[in-house]
């Protein structure tokens, strides 16, 4: 068990015939007590300082661990967001490609249908033109026949009478 300043102060030495000078010993002991008390106070202050610094170190160590974990979580989250964005963009591109293919196929189908309808209309126009020409030619032929002249002369004669 360590000595306390009180132990040093209360220490009594036995006396002998040719012993130490009692005043010198008491003065020395008083100086030892003062120094010992000073050392104890300094030791307590250093212990308190050490405890405070240890608490701060623990606090900063805790903050460092928290920051490290936070950085790791943030990095993982960023990677996850990046991967999700990449997947979503790929899905959007695939959907756009499907829509583009569908639109192109519909346009091609409509184009073919219009081309077929156009060709059909051309054929019908050609047939109509041919029939109309035939009809007009037949009518012209009728008009150029001699029967019309006879009919006209008959009508003139009937009017006179």
């Amino acid at each position: 068990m360590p000595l306390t300043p009180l132990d040093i102060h209360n220490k009594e030495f036995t006396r002998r015939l040719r012993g130490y000078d009692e005043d010198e010993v008491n003065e020395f002991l008083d100086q030892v007590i003062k120094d010992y008390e000073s050392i104890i106070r300094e030791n307590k202050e250093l212990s308190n300082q050490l405890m405070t610094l240890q608490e701060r170190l623990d606090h900063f160590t805790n903050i460092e661990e928290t920051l490290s974990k936070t950085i790791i979580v943030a990095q993982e989250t960023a990677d996850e967001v990046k991967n999700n964005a990449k997947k979503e963009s790929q899905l959007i591109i695939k959907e756009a490609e499907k829509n583009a293919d569908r639109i192109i196929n519909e346009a091609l189908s409509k184009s073919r249908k219009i081309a077929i309808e156009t060709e059909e209309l051309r054929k019908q126009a050609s047939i109509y033109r041919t029939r109309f020409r035939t009809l007009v030619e037949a009518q012209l032929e009728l008009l150029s026949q001699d029967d019309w002249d006879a009919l006209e002369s008959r009508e003139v004669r009937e009017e006179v009478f």
Side-chain angles (χ1 to χ4, degrees):
M1 187 166 193
L3 285 176
T4 65
L6 190 58
D7 291 336
I8 296 171
H9 182 65
N10 292 335
K11 178 67 177 167
E12 300 248 344
F13 295 97
T14 55
R15 297 188 182 175
R16 295 202 177 151
L17 186 55
R18 292 184 146 223
Y20 294 106
D21 180 8
E22 192 175 329
D23 289 336
E24 255 184 72
V25 169
N26 284 338
E27 279 180 33
F28 181 74
L29 286 177
D30 285 343
Q31 183 63 41
V32 168
I33 289 170
K34 285 180 187 174
D35 291 348
Y36 196 68
E37 282 178 343
S38 172
I39 289 174
I40 288 174
R41 253 185 270 116
E42 187 180 339
N43 190 15
K44 280 186 181 181
E45 287 175 10
L46 289 174
S47 291
N48 287 340
Q49 232 178 357
L50 178 64
M51 217 172 2
T52 302
L53 290 174
Q54 186 62 45
E55 286 174 2
R56 287 182 71 193
L57 178 63
D58 291 343
H59 175 72
F60 287 125
T61 302
N62 188 19
I63 288 174
E64 179 185 17
E65 288 175 8
T66 303
L67 286 175
S68 294
K69 288 177 184 176
T70 302
I71 289 171
I72 290 171
V73 168
Q75 182 63 44
E76 288 172 353
T77 303
D79 290 344
E80 187 176 327
V81 167
K82 183 179 172 183
N83 288 336
N84 287 343
K86 195 179 244 183
K87 288 177 184 175
E88 188 174 341
S89 70
Q90 289 173 347
L91 288 174
I92 290 170
I93 289 171
K94 284 182 183 178
E95 187 67 28
E97 287 173 347
K98 284 181 186 177
N99 283 339
D101 287 345
R102 181 183 52 78
I103 290 169
I104 290 171
N105 287 337
E106 286 176 3
L108 286 173
S109 175
K110 286 180 182 179
S111 171
R112 286 185 197 115
K113 187 176 178 183
I114 290 172
I116 291 171
E117 288 175 2
T118 303
E119 187 60 35
E120 184 62 33
L121 288 173
R122 282 184 187 150
K123 286 179 186 176
Q124 288 177 4
S126 177
I127 292 171
Y128 175 77
R129 189 174 170 204
T130 304
R131 286 182 181 168
F132 191 68
R133 181 181 289 142
T134 305
L135 177 66
V136 168
E137 287 174 354
Q139 293 298 318
L140 284 174
E141 190 176 313
L142 277 176
L143 288 175
S144 59
Q145 286 180 359
D146 292 334
D147 291 343
W148 281 100
D149 292 335
L151 185 61
E152 280 180 5
S153 59
R154 212 187 285 171
E155 281 181 17
V156 171
R157 278 191 231 154
E158 284 178 11
E159 287 179 12
V160 174
F161 293 109

